[in-house]
Amino acid sequence: MSESISNDAGANADGEGASASPTPAVAHHGHHEHHGGALKLAVGAIGVVFGDIGTSPLYAMRDTFAGHHRLPLDPLHIYGIVSLMFWSMMVIVTLKYVTVIMRADNRGEGGSLALLALINKHSGVKKWSGGIVLLGIFATSLFYGDSMITPAVSVLSAIEGLAVYQPHLGPAVVPLVVGILIFLFMIQSRGTAKVAAFFGPIMLVYFAVISVLGVISIAAMPEVISALSPHHAVTMFVQDPWRGFLAMGSAVLAVTGAEALYADMGHFGRKPIRISWLAFVLPALVLNYLGQASLLLRTPDALASPFYLLAPEWFQWPLLIIASMAAIIASQAVITGAFSVTQQAIQLGFIPRMTIRHTSLQAGQIYIPVINFGLMIAVILLVLVFQRSSNLTAAYGIAVTGAMAIDNFLLAVVLFQLWKWKTWLAVPLLGLFFALDAAYLGANLTKIPDGGWVPLMMGVGIFTLLTTWSKGRQLMRANMAEGTIPIEVFAKSAHSSAARVPGTAVFMASTDLGVPSALLHNIKHNKVLHERVVILTVAIQGMPYVDEADRFTVKDMGNGFYRLILRYGFLEETDVPETLKRVTMCGEPFQMMKTSFFLSRQTLLPSAKPGMALWREKLFAWMLRNAASAMEFFRLPTNRVVELGSQIEI
């Protein structure tokens, strides 16, 4: 399967109308208004971008030693794991994402789909190779799996502190977690603009607290600082290679959320995220992991929860509250990210149209009911089935390492095709990234029987849906293009053969070629044409935002016929009536009360024709029936829309 994203991606999946619409991860505006200065934005980034990786200390060290592949609690393995975690953060997060990948921005925006659109736009290739497209789609599929697992793991691991401090409260953990998650998903429709204002300060307090707790523990055993030396990780692998390899499956939890730095670049900018990571988040994480290592060396019994047991008794409940709030923030960020990625994928033609509600005037503050409800059900089921965060971390690792491995392939295309790096520089760097990510992915694959099958099953299921939709749209458009009449020929013949009535008729078309079927059906059944006939195509570009100077193109076909193309970036809202107010080259300004919008709605008839397997055709037909109305998607006035139906085989 091969498909370009940079043209009419938004076309109604039913073939007539426009392009689909999405947004990249988390709430943000693409033309970053970085007015508050880098420091203010850095604080905001701490609240949104680093929630996932910031809550890793809750479970990463514990599950490395007490998880599915247990390690001995001795200096060799404790020093080795801390060294491995530290250098993984330095190579994967600092070097790969913060230093290299964040340079590959699509007009300031990041994320897998934004990167794919960037590659398509600048590589000089009209169609991506099928492999690159499939990798991008699978990365998106894994992201949805991550969006389901992150809230479950984060909130569970935080609330489990109850059982650490008060063992008799253990049975209350799961019901409490489910209640918190239901509340979290229920408030999504209200928007997160106001709540988000508190995210930064809360996460600042959280990181400050875990830093201080780490320093206090390090002070009791200062020599633990030497664990940052890479030779400890090497020594562990040399002396205990098999256990060291298996331990990587849990140690990778220390870098979960690294990809969020790139995906959220559009919200805050490259510089504030780098400042936050290097000056605040990274030091806090390192200090806390060193503190946990010191505690485990001094008190092996603390393995039950080395994070919570760092706190002195008088500070245990405050720590539980702070950590729980941090976990909820991490969950909020990934939920918002799922909304944004969905909007982006709709615009780029990989997901059917869905109802998208804007919860504030700030671009990117959106709510998608279908995604919210689906995530809530999936997250609650994960909590009820797995019961404990340590059971879920096995599932967590595969989604994270799979996405990181895919990013390496996309980065390779960027280095060689876009940036034209010299081989001697690009190959060693890519070799380092591929080797480390392959080792982490391999270690996590050993956990498939323990829960690793969950994200793989989710990923394959979502991958099937996305590729079926993309291929089905491709086949449908090809079918509808057969036998189309050139608009120039139609305009001349129809002008003299049909009565003209007052007003403007806008016919939505998925491409800028031929006559839309709605126009053919209208003249066939109603035998009239409006005084002004506008054939409108909404084209989604391979960039986040389109300059106003390039927003629309008008071609006068004569006899009152106009071909109008509206262009939007894949992060922009496709509000057609609002844009039409600025179009003055179609004879006269548009007046909504004198304008009728004609849409075509196709009913798909699965057939044995070559194209897709019959079961995929039936799946595509089901997705087509349940796609959101083009009227709602393009913000068309409900009392000015006429839908004309037809049947089509693919």
Side-chain angles (χ1 to χ4, degrees), residues 446-469:
T446 64
K447 299 191 294 185
I448 288 179
D450 300 313
W453 56 270
V454 173
L456 289 179
M457 182 183 70
M458 292 175 177
V460 169
I462 296 171
F463 179 80
T464 301
L465 291 174
L466 268 57
T467 53
T468 297
W469 180 255

Side-chain angles (χ1 to χ4, degrees), residues 49 60 120 165 170 186 198 223 253 287 329 340 345 353 361 420 470 502 531 534 536 593 624:
V49 179
N120 182 60
Y165 296 149
M186 287 296 101
F198 297 100
E223 60 269 27
L253 297 174
L287 288 173
I329 290 171
S340 299
R353 285 189 309 260
L361 296 177
K420 309 296 183 184
S470 183
E531 288 178 337
V534 178
L536 171 62
M593 294 310 297
L624 188 60

Side-chain angles (χ1 to χ4, degrees), residues 32-116:
H32 331 116
E33 284 109 8
H34 296 161
H35 299 314
L39 185 60
K40 181 178 179 181
L41 286 164
V43 173
I46 289 173
V48 175
V49 179
F50 298 103
D52 192 353
I53 195 170
T55 53
S56 295
L58 283 164
Y59 47 79
M61 185 74 84
R62 179 199 67 197
D63 285 356
T64 302
F65 287 93
H68 298 282
H69 303 299
R70 295 171 181 263
L71 288 182
L73 268 179
D74 55 32
L76 171 70
H77 292 91
I78 292 176
Y79 277 70
I81 288 300
V82 172
S83 177
L84 177 62
M85 287 179 170
F86 173 71
W87 286 103
S88 294
M89 287 190 285
M90 294 303 295
V91 174
I92 294 177
V93 184
T94 307
L95 178 60
K96 177 179 171 181
Y97 283 96
V98 173
T99 304
V100 180
I101 291 187
M102 283 180 64
R103 292 182 58 220
D105 66 288
N106 192 340
R107 289 201 171 188
E109 298 295 335
S112 296
L113 291 178
L115 184 57
L116 286 173

Side-chain angles (χ1 to χ4, degrees), residues 211-546:
S211 299
V212 172
L213 292 176
V215 169
I216 293 172
S217 182
I218 293 170
M221 192 177 183
E223 60 269 27
V224 78
I225 296 176
S226 68
L228 300 184
S229 170
H231 88 273
H232 287 292
V234 174
T235 302
M236 179 181 69
F237 282 109
V238 169
Q239 296 191 19
D240 196 355
W242 179 240
R243 278 180 172 163
F245 171 71
L246 293 178
M248 293 184 75
S250 298
V252 74
L253 297 174
V255 294
T256 56
E259 64 280 3
L261 278 68
Y262 178 50
D264 291 334
M265 184 167 58
H267 319 164
F268 303 98
R270 185 184 297 118
K271 185 178 178 181
I273 289 178
R274 286 176 172 168
I275 291 174
S276 298
W277 171 251
L278 294 172
F280 204 78
V281 178
L282 175 61
L285 295 176
V286 171
L287 288 173
N288 194 261
Y289 284 126
L290 286 172
Q292 291 189 40
S294 169
L295 177 64
L296 291 176
L297 287 167
R298 292 180 288 112
T299 314
D301 289 344
L303 185 58
S305 180
F307 175 84
Y308 277 117
L309 294 176
L310 277 177
E313 188 173 346
W314 64 268
F315 193 68
Q316 289 179 345
W317 288 103
L319 178 61
L320 177 64
I321 293 171
I322 294 170
S324 298
M325 294 176 72
I328 292 171
I329 290 171
S331 303
Q332 175 62 61
V334 81
I335 293 168
T336 309
F339 295 157
S340 299
V341 167
T342 300
Q343 184 185 0
Q344 186 178 353
I346 294 171
Q347 287 289 53
L348 298 178
F350 292 127
I351 294 179
R353 285 189 309 260
M354 296 180 182
T355 299
I356 298 176
R357 299 176 188 167
H358 291 257
T359 57
S360 77
L361 296 177
Q362 180 183 352
Q365 289 282 357
I366 59 173
Y367 168 68
I368 304 178
V370 172
I371 297 298
N372 189 65
F373 182 74
L375 282 179
M376 181 178 72
I377 297 300
V379 170
I380 291 173
L381 284 176
L382 285 172
V383 171
L384 294 177
V385 170
F386 286 90
Q387 296 284 313
R388 298 178 66 241
S389 61
S390 57
N391 295 332
L392 263 171
T393 51
Y396 203 10
I398 290 182
V400 172
T401 53
M404 288 180 177
I406 289 173
D407 283 344
N408 289 332
F409 290 98
L410 301 180
L411 178 61
V413 176
V414 170
L415 294 183
F416 287 112
Q417 287 201 18
L418 271 61
W419 295 348
K420 309 296 183 184
W421 276 30
K422 296 186 182 301
T423 303
W424 65 267
L425 181 60
V427 169
L429 190 67
L430 289 170
L432 174 64
F433 295 158
F434 271 108
L436 190 56
D437 287 338
Y440 271 129
L441 180 58
N444 275 278
L445 290 176
T446 64
K447 299 191 294 185
I448 288 179
D450 300 313
W453 56 270
V454 173
L456 289 179
M457 182 183 70
M458 292 175 177
V460 169
I462 296 171
F463 179 80
T464 301
L465 291 174
L466 268 57
T467 53
T468 297
W469 180 255
S470 183
K471 181 67 173 178
R473 288 179 63 251
Q474 196 178 46
L475 292 172
M476 178 174 282
R477 285 208 297 257
N479 182 291
M480 296 178 66
E482 294 177 3
T484 55
I485 306 170
I487 185 62
E488 294 83 357
V489 174
F490 177 84
K492 292 178 182 178
S493 61
H495 171 66
S496 57
S497 61
R500 305 300 286 255
V501 297
T504 298
V506 176
F507 291 89
M508 304 290 285
S510 60
T511 71
D512 56 1
L513 301 173
V515 181
S517 61
L519 177 52
L520 294 175
H521 286 300
N522 181 60
I523 198 169
K524 174 182 177 182
H525 295 291
N526 298 325
K527 298 180 175 55
V528 296
L529 285 172
H530 287 69
E531 288 178 337
R532 181 170 59 160
V533 176
V534 178
I535 299 172
L536 171 62
T537 298
V538 176
I540 304 302
Q541 307 299 295
M543 60 186 71
Y545 299 88
V546 171

